[in-house]
Amino acid sequence: MERLAAQLAATATRPWTLMEVCGGQTHAIVRWGLDQLLPEGIRLIHGPGCPVCVTPAATLDAALDLARQPEVILCSYGDMLRVPGSRSGDDLLGVRAAGGDVRLLTSPLQAIALAQSHPDRLVVFLAVGFETTAPATALLARQATALKLANLALLPAHVRVVPAMEAILNGPDNQVQGFLAAGHVGAVMGTAELQGLVQRQGVSVVISGFEPVELMAGILRCVQLLEAGESAVANAYGRVVLEGGNPEAQQLIEAVFEVVDQPWRGLGVIPAGGLALRPAYAALEVGHHRPQLLEQPQPSAAQQPQESQEPQHPPVCIAGQILRGVRRPCDCPAFGSSCTPEHPLGAPMVSSEGACAAYHRYRPN
């Protein structure tokens, strides 16, 4: 680490601002104090790469409405159960405490066994995440369709990373000059999408892993590209990421989902920023499957590209600015006082990949 830090100091001739996209990378950077090892002028800002944090408030509200229905079993990944909705402030754990049937899954395919063992109930899977979890949801959709399960539905909210990176670059308050791209998304999608981003935006991108040495090596490579005036994609995670990614996973995504404009928390509607079920699988979407279960019927992402879905955070919460990398968690007046992991005001404090949670855990003062 000291050797890499010394190389960085010898390489940088001017200030540079880099954004690590993934929340897992943010936690590693804060946990190991990597940002504090960088030479003066090299600055890391934190990106929106936390699927729990960027899931639209409207989707959370719909999940809460469903979980209150006695005929529904609502299931999702663990962190999603603690994110408050925008209308009542409740979260799914609160609804479960009040009698709702809310289950935690570690794999989407567990929803199939749940539906088969409860044929008199409707099992709804709240499907969130980036290209890393979308293949598993796609596999669930294909298997549920093949089994003709009539009591399994999806509430899909999958998002795409590269369009969000482009939206940040196009934002009026953009500060990013180079990206550290998430290695696990690269393992699925390869480098083609990032090549397109580099060609359109003239930015430098380095695919990085999650270990401290991998992140420092990624930062060094990105600064080397910037100092050389090169716009390019560099793969500093070659032990995991292949140029073509995982073709089988990509084919699953392509077969089940289509690209749509999608609202993100904190970033608004991002062109091509989400994945919606293709017409062949639309019957699985809960809004299509059982629209009467939703207090306010939720149009699919494909049907609402122009509608802003900004969350209704309390005014003191600056979660939106944190998700865009404009502010840091410690800039928030509520950080560590009225907003804590036990009583979060915004999604970045809830999720195990959220930037606020990382600072609260590893750098509370």
Side-chain angles (χ1 to χ4, degrees):
M1 296 293 288
E2 291 179 358
R3 178 180 61 81
L4 290 169
Q7 283 185 264
L8 260 173
T11 302
T13 63
R14 49 161 291 187
W16 297 107
T17 298
L18 315 182
M19 171 179 277
E20 86 278 358
V21 178
C22 173
Q25 293 175 333
T26 300
H27 273 249
I29 288 166
V30 177
R31 178 180 183 181
W32 300 108
L34 302 186
D35 51 336
Q36 297 172 338
L37 297 177
L38 302 179
E40 186 176 359
I42 305 300
R43 191 165 68 103
L44 293 179
I45 56 177
H46 315 308
C50 162
V52 173
C53 302
V54 302
T55 298
T59 301
L60 261 299
D61 289 340
L64 290 164
D65 292 343
L66 289 162
R68 294 187 179 101
Q69 305 295 328
E71 69 180 279
V72 170
I73 300 174
L74 194 291
C75 51
S76 191
Y77 301 114
D79 283 350
M80 289 306 302
L81 309 190
R82 299 184 58 243
V83 182
S86 67
R87 295 200 299 265
S88 64
D90 286 343
D91 58 28
L92 288 168
L93 285 180
V95 173
R96 182 164 76 178
D101 196 342
V102 177
R103 312 281 181 103
L104 184 159
L105 301 186
T106 54
S107 165
L109 294 180
Q110 293 170 328
I112 289 180
L114 201 56
Q116 290 173 327
S117 60
H118 295 83
D120 57 331
R121 310 277 300 280
L122 176 65
V123 174
V124 179
F125 177 60
L126 170 55
V128 304
F130 300 105
E131 291 91 338
T132 48
T133 56
T137 301
L139 190 59
L140 169 65
R142 293 183 72 162
Q143 293 197 7
T145 301
L147 292 169
K148 299 180 179 178
L149 284 174
N151 66 324
L152 177 62
L154 301 178
L155 183 56
H158 284 292
V159 291
R160 303 174 66 233
V161 172
V162 172
M165 295 165 69
E166 188 144 25
I168 288 170
L169 291 173
N170 291 334
D173 48 9
N174 172 53
Q175 304 173 27
V176 178
Q177 295 166 296
F179 282 108
L180 296 184
H184 47 19
V185 173
V188 174
M189 301 305 294
T191 62
E193 286 186 314
L194 292 171
Q195 296 285 2
L197 176 73
V198 164
Q199 291 171 6
R200 291 190 298 274
Q201 296 284 346
V203 69
S204 297
V205 181
V206 176
I207 301 173
S208 171
F210 302 85
E211 297 297 325
V213 169
E214 293 170 339
L215 286 162
M216 283 293 284
I219 294 166
L220 173 61
R221 185 71 186 105
C222 198
V223 170
Q224 289 172 335
L225 289 173
L226 291 167
E227 288 283 344
E230 294 183 33
S231 302
V233 178
N235 182 4
Y237 199 34
R239 67 184 176 90
V240 173
V241 177
L242 303 177
E243 183 177 352
N246 183 331
E248 186 175 353
Q250 293 170 26
Q251 289 164 11
L252 268 173
I253 295 174
E254 175 67 21
V256 174
F257 294 109
E258 60 185 355
V259 174
V260 295
D261 297 348
Q262 174 89 349
W264 287 48
R265 280 200 184 216
L267 282 80
V269 175
I270 295 182
L275 297 169
L277 291 168
R278 289 189 179 279
Y281 295 93
L284 284 171
E285 190 163 350
V286 68
H288 179 86
H289 194 281
R290 304 274 184 92
Q292 72 277 13
L293 292 178
L294 294 171
E295 292 181 1
Q296 297 178 354
Q298 302 296 307
S300 70
Q303 294 170 316
Q304 55 176 2
Q306 301 305 317
E307 182 180 353
S308 175
Q309 297 290 336
E310 288 293 312
Q312 303 300 313
H313 289 125
V316 71
C317 176
I318 62 170
Q321 297 175 65
I322 291 170
L323 289 169
R324 297 197 307 275
V326 178
R327 307 280 295 277
R328 292 174 182 270
C330 51
D331 296 331
C332 180
F335 176 77
S337 54
S338 57
C339 183
T340 66
E342 293 76 25
H343 301 286
L345 298 181
M349 185 61 88
V350 175
S351 170
S352 60
E353 294 187 16
C356 297
Y359 274 71
H360 192 273
R361 182 171 184 179
Y362 300 115
R363 205 171 295 172
N365 300 313

